[in-house]
Amino acid sequence: MLKLIVVFVHLLAVCTALGAIIATDLRLLARLRERRLRLAPPNAYVMRLVGVSLAVLWASGALLLWLGHQEDPAYLSGNPKLIGKLMLVAVLTLNAAWLHLHTFRWLARARRVARWRFSETIAVAAPVAVSNSLWLYCAFLGIARPWNGVVPLGRVLEGGAVVFLLSFAAVLAVLIAVGRDTARAERRRAGRATTQPGAVGDWLHDRALGGRT
């Protein structure tokens, strides 16, 4: 019964974090067509929710490892999938620290997306892609029971790398497309602002000359 409760708490922590992350991403996607778009970091409530979920994930996972070891001393060593999941969760945790200490702070004072340099776009896309891809992939590993003791560690890590690359390509493509669209819109507005006064001035000049003749 204890193990069942811990598994439920573990699953609940994953679902809570994923729900908060997906809701934040969807809300951001809905704003991508805004003019003068600035990407703000998640609000304090979302960051706190994901942080608490990650802490519960580690605590419940450690308890599950202990319970599994009590049943079978080879519970961890005989399951490469579980070892791979632990490695990826460690990467996820380090990436979360990077997001909070660097990426989110930079976004809080960043320029509009249209004015980002390519290196800045990469610096934002990479940790965001790591977060999104590893949360999803680690959740998948948690239910991939048929992989236990069957799939080698290298294959597990390769799967995580593939999911990350797909996520990174998607995030990078969206940021580049949004930056180009907003920059193009700004140039069009700037062009109209510079041409319209001149056109009015030419019309007034022609009227004045017409009145003199």
Side-chain angles (χ1 to χ4, degrees), residues 173-186:
V174 168
L175 290 178
I176 291 175
V178 170
R180 287 177 177 174
D181 287 346
T182 53
R184 193 177 300 116
E186 287 184 359

Side-chain angles (χ1 to χ4, degrees), residues 179-196:
R180 287 177 177 174
D181 287 346
T182 53
R184 193 177 300 116
E186 287 184 359
R187 287 195 295 269
R188 285 199 299 267
R189 289 195 299 272
R192 287 196 297 268
T194 56
T195 57
Q196 287 177 357

